[in-house]
C-alpha cells in the first residue's frame, strides 16, 4: 500500500535519498526500489502510476500482483538491476513489512566476502506444501522437501550471485514459493551457500520492539507496519526515548 511504502521512505529507507543515518557520520550508497505487479483494480493501477512518476522508485512488472507471482517480481527486480544498475555490489530483497537497521547491516556486509553466499533467516530444509496458499505442484517441483534456503522477508547476496540466479532461472521450471525457489532451488544449482542471521539479531516468529530496533539489539524485524516504522524512527533520531 502507498502509505506503507511512504513510511519506509520516511524512515529506514530515507538512507537511499539522504545517504546518511541519524547518529552516524558514515555515508551510505544505497538505492531503495519497490517492485510491484498489476492490480485487478484499475483505480489502484492509476494511483501507482502517479506514485511512480512522483517518487521515481517503483519497478512495474507486467504480472498480477499476487502471492503466486512473488518469485517473478524478485527476478524482474534482478533483471532491472542488470539493465539499469550493473555496477551495484550487493542486492537485498526486503518485504514491505520489514525494518532494517542499515548501519548494522552495512557493517556486516563489509565484514566478509559474500561472493558465494546468501544471507538471511536460514532453514536447512522445509516440507513442500501441496495445497493451500503455499501450494507447489509436483510437476513444478516433484521433491518432498526444499533444499537449504533463507526465508523471504529479507535476504541479501552479491550482485554476481543475483545475476547467476537470474540467468539459471530461464532454464528451470517456475516454482511459486519465492524464497525456497530463488535462495534454495536456483542457488543449489549454482552451489551457492547460506549464512544465517543470528537469532539474537532477529525474531523469527514475532516483531521486534521499536527500542530493540533503534538501539541495535535487533537488526531486522518483520511484521512492522506504518505506525511502528514511525515510532521506531523517532527513537533512532532520539535514543533517549529508549
Amino acid at each position: 500500500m502507498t502509505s506503507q511504502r511512504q513510511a519506509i521512505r520516511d524512515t529506514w529507507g530515507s538512507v537511499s535519498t539522504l545517504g546518511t543515518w541519524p547518529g552516524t557520520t558514515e555515508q551510505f550508497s544505497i538505492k531503495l526500489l519497490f517492485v510491484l505487479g498489476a492490480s485487478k483494480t484499475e483505480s489502484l493501477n492509476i494511483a501507482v502510476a502517479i506514485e511512480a512518476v512522483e517518487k521515481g522508485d517503483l519497478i512495474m512488472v507486467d504480472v498480477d500482483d499476487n502471492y503466486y507471482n512473488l518469485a517473478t517480481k524478485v527476478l524482474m527486480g534482478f533483471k532491472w538491476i542488470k539493465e539499469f544498475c550493473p555496477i551495484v555490489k550487493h542486492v537485498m530483497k526486503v518485504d514491505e513489512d520489514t525494518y532494517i537497521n542499515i548501519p548494522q547491516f552495512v557493517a556486516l556486509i563489509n565484514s566478509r566476502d559474500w561472493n558465494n553466499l546468501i544471507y538471511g533467516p536460514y532453514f536447512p530444509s522445509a516440507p513442500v506444501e501441496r495445497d493451500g496458499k503455499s501450494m507447489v505442484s509436483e510437476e513444478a517441483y516433484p521433491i518432498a522437501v526444499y533444499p537449504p534456503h533463507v526465508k523471504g522477508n529479507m535476504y541479501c547476496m552479491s550482485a554476481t550471485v543475483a545475476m547467476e540466479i537470474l540467468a539459471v532461472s530461464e532454464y528451470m521450471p517456475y516454482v511459486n514459493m519465492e524464497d525456497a525457489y530463488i535462495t534454495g532451488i536456483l542457488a543449489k544449482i549454482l552451489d551457492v551457500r547460506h549464512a544465517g542471521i543470528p537469532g539474537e539479531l532477529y525474531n523469527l516468529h514475532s516483531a521486534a520492539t521499536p527500542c530493540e530496533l533503534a538501539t541495535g539489539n535487533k537488526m531486522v524485524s518483520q511484521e512492522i507496519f506504518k505506525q511502528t516504522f514511525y515510532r521506531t524512527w523517532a527513537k533512532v533520531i532520539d535514543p533517549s526515548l529508549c
Side-chain angles (χ1 to χ4, degrees):
M1 66 181 74
T2 301
S3 61
Q4 182 80 352
R5 290 192 291 275
Q6 191 57 46
I8 293 171
R9 295 185 186 105
D10 292 339
T11 59
W12 71 266
S14 65
V15 70
S16 174
T17 52
L18 299 177
T20 58
W21 188 270
T24 78
T25 58
E26 186 176 359
Q27 293 290 312
F28 299 94
S29 180
I30 292 171
K31 179 68 173 175
L32 173 70
L33 295 161
F34 299 92
V35 184
L36 280 74
S39 170
K40 295 185 182 300
T41 305
E42 190 54 31
S43 60
L44 183 57
N45 289 328
I46 293 170
V48 166
I50 293 170
E51 180 185 349
V53 173
E54 291 178 348
K55 303 297 183 180
D57 58 5
L58 302 188
I59 299 173
M60 308 305 297
V61 179
D62 190 20
V63 297
D64 289 340
D65 205 323
N66 57 36
Y67 195 73
Y68 182 85
N69 287 325
L70 280 176
T72 297
K73 288 170 59 181
V74 173
L75 291 169
M76 290 303 97
F78 288 179
K79 186 175 182 180
W80 188 95
I81 291 166
K82 179 182 178 180
E83 294 181 8
F84 299 106
C85 200
I87 62 171
V88 71
K89 292 181 179 179
H90 299 92
V91 177
M92 178 166 63
K93 179 263 179 179
V94 183
D95 285 351
E96 280 193 354
D97 70 338
T98 300
Y99 178 98
I100 307 284
N101 184 313
I102 293 295
Q104 265 187 302
F105 192 82
V106 169
L108 173 78
I109 292 300
N110 290 336
S111 70
R112 64 183 295 180
D113 181 354
W114 295 93
N115 282 339
N116 197 47
L117 284 171
I118 298 175
Y119 181 77
Y122 176 69
F123 280 68
S125 67
V128 178
E129 297 181 30
R130 299 302 185 191
D131 53 31
K133 179 183 177 181
S134 302
M135 182 194 78
V136 170
S137 70
E138 290 194 27
E139 182 181 7
Y141 187 73
I143 305 169
V145 295
Y146 294 116
H149 61 283
V150 299
K151 291 300 182 185
N153 69 291
M154 184 285 295
Y155 50 80
C156 182
M157 64 191 78
S158 71
T160 300
V161 169
M163 295 307 104
E164 289 173 345
I165 286 174
L166 174 64
V168 79
S169 71
E170 298 180 9
Y171 302 95
M172 291 295 294
Y174 182 77
V175 176
N176 51 284
M177 282 300 291
E178 166 246 325
D179 46 13
Y181 180 52
I182 290 174
T183 74
I185 297 167
L186 299 180
K188 186 173 180 62
I189 295 169
L190 301 164
D191 198 29
V192 175
R193 304 306 172 91
H194 304 88
I197 182 170
E200 64 268 19
L201 295 179
Y202 170 75
N203 297 335
L204 184 60
H205 298 296
S206 62
T209 67
C211 279
E212 284 177 325
L213 293 167
T215 59
N217 287 333
K218 300 293 181 182
M219 184 174 70
V220 181
S221 179
Q222 80 285 4
E223 297 181 24
I224 303 295
F225 300 100
K226 181 175 68 173
Q227 295 305 323
T228 309
F229 275 125
Y230 288 115
R231 286 199 299 270
T232 302
W233 198 242
K235 293 171 173 59
V236 172
I237 294 170
D238 183 2
S240 69
L241 295 175
C242 288

